[in-house]
Amino acid sequence: FDARRTWVNDASVRFNGLRIGAQRGRDLIALGFYGLGDPYIQPSVDLGTLGKREFYTRFSYTALTYERLIIDSKRWQAGIPISVGLGNYRTSYRDSTNGTEIAYGVNELVPVEAYLHADYNLFWFIFVGAGAGYRYVLAADPAATRKLSDYTYYFKVGLRFGEVVKRVRKSLRDDI
């Protein structure tokens, strides 16, 4: 699990995510699912003929990540992950007459991220980590690209599930 901070419409927002991966030697590959923790709400945005409305932004994506570890010791791991994803950017506004939320726009996106991270093993199976990098978003709408391409940073807590499985299997073999 990880919690990221990034920028949408020039405002710092929270991202939540889940990443599942596999490691062989110093190479990792992972699949991650990410999205805004809560919709980003702007209280008054001028929507032209619709007037000023409360405006909501949602952004989510799935990313495939390759990472090469540059440090892999008993307590520390540090690497340079590169990811490419698919996602969408959805906007809506609140109708002032009845209070319902009405869809305003959808953009399909391809986020590309590169960052540097470090993890510290608290125990053999649990780690904490942090990282920072840059996300560039390819979108048909140039405004969406400008709004969503920015620096990103994150903190995470993780479970080394593969290590748990290896130790359980070894324990079961030793008991036989």
Side-chain angles (χ1 to χ4, degrees), residues 38-72:
D38 298 307
Y40 171 64
I41 301 171
Q42 294 170 279
S44 180
V45 172
D46 188 3
L47 299 178
T49 59
L50 295 171
K52 290 191 178 224
R53 303 292 172 105
E54 188 175 58
F55 198 67
Y56 298 83
T57 300
R58 291 174 177 82
F59 175 37
S60 59
Y61 64 98
T62 300
L64 183 63
T65 303
Y66 169 76
E67 177 178 353
R68 178 72 176 172
L69 293 176
I70 52 179
I71 296 172
D72 190 13

Side-chain angles (χ1 to χ4, degrees), residues 25-167:
R26 290 182 173 259
D27 298 311
L28 284 87
I29 190 159
L31 183 65
F33 305 93
Y34 306 99
L36 283 176
D38 298 307
Y40 171 64
I41 301 171
Q42 294 170 279
S44 180
V45 172
D46 188 3
L47 299 178
T49 59
L50 295 171
K52 290 191 178 224
R53 303 292 172 105
E54 188 175 58
F55 198 67
Y56 298 83
T57 300
R58 291 174 177 82
F59 175 37
S60 59
Y61 64 98
T62 300
L64 183 63
T65 303
Y66 169 76
E67 177 178 353
R68 178 72 176 172
L69 293 176
I70 52 179
I71 296 172
D72 190 13
S73 68
K74 183 177 178 178
R75 285 283 184 198
W76 288 96
Q77 277 190 341
I80 303 171
I82 298 170
S83 68
V84 176
L86 292 173
N88 61 40
Y89 171 73
R90 301 167 313 280
T91 56
S92 58
Y93 64 90
R94 172 97 36 215
D95 186 344
S96 58
T97 57
N98 60 12
T100 60
E101 196 174 324
I102 299 171
Y104 186 71
V106 175
N107 286 287
E108 300 303 319
L109 310 168
V110 177
V112 178
E113 292 182 331
Y115 43 98
L116 178 64
H117 85 91
D119 294 340
Y120 179 77
N121 292 324
L122 296 173
F123 303 102
W124 59 269
F125 61 98
I126 294 178
F127 67 93
V128 294
Y134 191 80
R135 179 188 59 251
Y136 184 78
V137 176
L138 303 165
D141 180 8
T145 296
R146 278 190 309 277
K147 288 178 185 177
L148 300 175
S149 297
D150 214 327
Y151 293 100
T152 181
Y153 60 97
Y154 65 91
F155 303 98
K156 63 183 174 178
V157 175
L159 170 68
R160 300 209 190 278
F161 186 70
E163 287 296 319
V164 173
V165 169
K166 279 197 292 190
R167 288 192 184 207

